[in-house]
Amino acid sequence: MMQHARAPVHATGAPPRPPRGQHRTATNNRFIPVCEHADQEVSTTASRRTRRGDFLRAATWAITQRLHPKAGDTTLRVAHDLAARLNADGHVAYCRDSMWRRLGISRRTLERHISILRELGLLVWAVHGSRANTRPAGSGEWAGTATIYAAVVPPAWDDALGHRVSGHGYHARHIGFTEHGRQLAIAEARHRARSLRRRDTPSCKTNHPRPTAQVKGKKNNTSAPRGTRARPRRRHEVPEPYRASPGQAAHAVSVAAWVRPRVPWTQGEGLRRLAFALRPWIATGLSAADIAADLSVWRVPRRPASPASVIMARWSETGGQDGPAADPGGREDTPCAVPPNAAFLAARDVVRARLSRLSPPVEPEPDPPGFVIRDRILASLTAADRARRARTAEQCLSFAEWEAVCDARERALW
């Protein structure tokens, strides 16, 4: 037996684990990735919350500084995709199934680079996704829980850029700069200004002859005489049939709001653009019901690209007639006829009077506001839910349906 075969082994103690919520730092002040999943949560992370700009700058800095041996250009692409979908709170849905197809990488590669961003302290879990069904049992539907990430920046980035931070963890705030950080921020702002000036297109200028200043007396700081011709002021002129006062413009918007839901091919247009196109028709004295009835019989595509342009083109074709023509595209000439006599006109007036007595004209009622419609929909849904729970066993078509009714009764609070 060799002499050193049973030599005692001196085990070296493992380095103490830092408290939860603090990143490890090596003895040479180098960043160590956050490998513990327990430290990658919103409640336990040492990184602070951030928005899109700082998240991308921190990701670029961490990758260029080689803080992680496996981080690279693909990691930065993943960070850009997440930053483009961040909401106002700095949260983003993972959407793995659509994200790896959008980036053109495999699912395993995407998961690896997301893990790298978490280890760099740039992503933390806000909500853990689950495949457990969140819909009621027996409903025949399935919906899981999405994974929600929060964008953060590690303390190492704040230390490198000289940021003064108030607080600790996810809810810490950036409150200022150190002296070194102020110099870095000034240099970065100057670099951005130079890059913006470099991208600007140089303007074309001509050296026009300038009048010479007339010096009188001993003063030599006389300004050059200004030109007598005033510079023309460029302003967009609105055509005459479309000009309107503020009150008339507001009335046109209300008419367009009544017309648009009743004419299918105008529903893809914006409300103000549609109101602008309808101003000439409104100025002729037509009501909203008349305009909707006339627009409904126009021969137009089912979904035109610009309904407002169609309406304005028809007005220019009709030449400003009293109202919109039912079929402006028709090419048939109007036949000449003998004007009606007095007896015919009197009979027509009698018929119109009888029709008005039988069915008097009714003004269109204004649409109810949105909150009234919402309350009606919620009330109808509640009534339908109560009627569904009130069914008896004889009214159910199957035993599974009766079980679903019993479960709904047990879950209901009333």
Side-chain angles (χ1 to χ4, degrees), residues 14 27 40-41 91 172 179 250 306 378 385 413:
T27 56
Q40 298 175 2
E41 304 282 347
H91 294 177
E179 188 61 32
S306 178
L378 294 178
D385 193 17
L413 300 180

Side-chain angles (χ1 to χ4, degrees), residues 3 33-35 45 55 83 115 124 127 130 151 160 179 201 209 234 251 260 283 298 300 316 349 359 367 375 388 404:
Q3 296 181 359
V34 188
C35 299
T45 182
F55 172 70
S115 175
V124 291
V127 176
S130 172
E179 188 61 32
T201 304
R234 296 181 180 179
H251 175 64
R260 185 172 65 175
W298 280 14
V300 294
S316 61
D349 295 339
S359 58
D367 292 337
D375 294 342
R388 191 182 302 110

Side-chain angles (χ1 to χ4, degrees), residues 160-224:
L161 296 187
H163 292 170
R164 292 174 52 235
V165 179
S166 173
H168 178 74
Y170 180 73
H171 296 285
R173 295 182 298 107
H174 175 211
I175 60 175
F177 295 91
T178 61
E179 188 61 32
H180 176 63
R182 187 177 296 106
Q183 298 298 329
L184 292 178
I186 293 173
E188 183 181 1
R190 289 176 178 174
H191 176 71
R192 291 180 183 176
R194 285 195 299 267
S195 62
L196 289 176
R197 286 197 300 266
R198 194 179 300 114
R199 286 196 296 266
D200 289 343
T201 304
S203 57
C204 300
K205 295 183 180 180
T206 344
N207 295 326
H208 298 287
R210 298 182 179 181
T212 309
Q214 298 178 1
V215 181
K216 296 181 180 180
K218 297 182 180 180
K219 296 182 179 180
N220 58 354
N221 57 353
T222 307
S223 59

